Each structure stands twice: as C-alpha cells, then as structure tokens.
Amino acid sequence: MTEPSLLAGIRHARALAAELAPTEQAASELGVTGFILHTVPFALYARLRHAPDALVETVNAGGDTDSIGAIVGGWAGALDGPHSLSADLVEALAGGPFGGAHLRGLAAALANGHPPPPYSATVALLRNLALYPIVLAHGFRRMLP
C-alpha cells in the first residue's frame, strides 16, 4: 500500500477497534463520507469492533451507509460465509433481478469458477428507472436543512 493517508486511516481504525471505541467516536474521527480515505477505515473499524453486528452499526453511524455497508457485508460474506450475515437482513433482500437468489448464484459461480447467472437486462432497466425518483428525492431532501 503506497497511499500514506489511507494507511494512516487503517491504522487509526485498528486502534479504535482495539480500544473498543464507540461507533459515534469512530465515525467522527474516521469519517463516513464515502470518500475512500474515510470509507475503508470506517468499514474496517466496524468489521473489527462490531462483528457480527457490523452492518447494523454501520447503518446506525449515518453518512454513506450504502457504500460502507456494501464493503462490510462483502467482507463478512467472503470471510465468514453467508451464515455470518443476519438472516433478517438476508431475507429482506428484494426478489428482483439482483435480489437474494441472484446474489447466492453470483457467490456460487465465483466459488466454483463458473460464469455468473443470467439476469434480465430489461427488468433491471425498469427497476432502475423506477428507483431514480426515489434516489433523486432523497438527494434533494439531504440538501434541505
């Protein structure tokens, strides 16, 4: 690793986790903006300090919860297997083109060296078009005081 700022953030995240620092403190010190120099260290802190509840802590910390949560969830699934993820969270995944069944198919394909499972590009496009107003409304709402 050659980026000194990222390395410093990772070291700080490890120290905060070892000290059992509360999530609010780690979020304040490491940042939860979605910028890689904040995202990776905070995800590491959450993983080290709060496993198996790291996803819940990540979401409760606020900030760029989807990016940080994706990293924490990916690490949990890859390092500990799908059983390490909350059954309630896994069951809450939508059954759409990128829902739980598709994610399990992707994981199996990756583990076995097979091509990824097929999906309907048309359904995915329709899903994304339906979500655009929600994403835009959320973005504009965040601009309000």
Side-chain angles (χ1 to χ4, degrees):
M1 180 177 307
T2 60
E3 173 54 49
S5 299
L6 183 58
L7 183 57
I10 288 171
R11 286 182 176 146
H12 189 55
R14 291 182 64 164
L16 288 169
E19 296 167 6
L20 303 179
T23 302
E24 298 80 19
Q25 177 185 348
S28 174
E29 292 183 22
L30 298 170
V32 290
T33 65
F35 182 49
I36 189 168
L37 298 181
H38 301 152
T39 301
V40 171
F42 186 78
L44 179 63
Y45 159 82
R47 168 88 177 135
L48 294 174
R49 168 73 170 88
H50 294 292
D53 298 319
L55 280 174
V56 173
E57 288 294 320
T58 298
V59 171
N60 289 338
D64 191 15
T65 58
D66 57 335
S67 297
I68 301 170
I71 294 169
V72 171
W75 285 345
L79 297 171
D80 304 324
H83 64 279
S84 69
L85 301 171
S86 163
D88 293 339
L89 291 176
V90 173
E91 287 179 26
L93 289 172
F98 302 109
H102 185 74
L103 293 175
R104 284 187 291 279
L106 281 174
L110 179 63
N112 298 317
H114 295 125
Y119 69 94
S120 169
T122 304
V123 172
L125 176 65
L126 292 173
R127 172 191 165 267
N128 291 345
L129 289 173
L131 288 174
Y132 279 140
I134 296 167
V135 171
L136 290 173
H138 178 70
F140 285 124
R141 189 207 54 81
R142 291 186 69 177
M143 292 170 46
L144 299 174

